[in-house]
Amino acid sequence: MQHRIRRPIVAGNWKMNGNAALVGEMQQALESQQFENVSVVVCPPLTYLGTMQSDTFSLGAQNTSDKASGAYTGETSLSMLQECAVEYVIVGHSERREYYAENDQVVAAKVAAVLEAGLTPIFCIGESEQVRDAGKLFEFLASQIDAVLNIIGINAFANVVIAYEPIWAIGTGKTATPEQAQEVHAFIRQHIAKQNGEIAEKMQILYGGSVNGGNAQSIFSQPDVDGGLVGGASLKPNDFITICLAANELR
Ligand code: 13P
């Protein structure tokens, strides 16, 4: 039975962590569970995508090229990801924006390419501590959303998942409070609703930043939080399952 208007998603972003042993361990652990009310997504490093396969969870890539093919050394195309049964692609993670110079234009081109390929982008946005402290939180997030919205158009947002990941909460153990997450998620939904209320109402908005087995339930139970994008805790099968079950049991 579906309990919420929007089906929750829990996506595990392994980043550049894990190994072949963890692939096997995670696959086995997840397959011992039943996730009726949550879509579970595992995003391991690229080299493991071809070796993971399951009816219990979906596969996600951590990045993609926006180009179809050609002389782009080191890049991977969406058709290649599709051959590995990838369904979701994380785009615009703050680590890619910071370390690999992905600006709003690059992120918009990638979101457009993922949609064009028929896959689901997990489009990441989030502010630094400085932006928040300067009182520019909403202005900043609106500009990150608009950079993509202006390129792909509002109708395409029907197939986009947004992940709100405050940079100050990533890998720091300093989670946004459930109230802080709810405030921002409601803002994001209202911002989209200015263009199309129906699309905004159906859009899944995930929270990311130090989600763990202990705090997932309280964050996910906020009305505008539709699950999470999990880093560190997604590398530990038991913790990740606890988080997935917290979303599975939402009412
Ligand atoms: P942590 O859960 O390790 O804070 O990472 C969050 C994240 O960046 C997921 O994409």
Side-chain angles (χ1 to χ4, degrees), residues 104-120:
D104 282 338
Q105 286 67 42
V106 171
V107 172
K110 289 188 178 189
V111 170
V114 172
L115 289 168
E116 181 77 15
L119 304 187
T120 303

Side-chain angles (χ1 to χ4, degrees), residues 195-215:
Q195 303 224 7
N196 187 315
E198 197 181 328
I199 287 174
E201 204 49 42
K202 289 187 178 155
M203 196 174 64
Q204 290 142 311
I205 307 176
L206 315 184
Y207 169 79
S210 299
V211 173
N212 60 43
N215 61 29

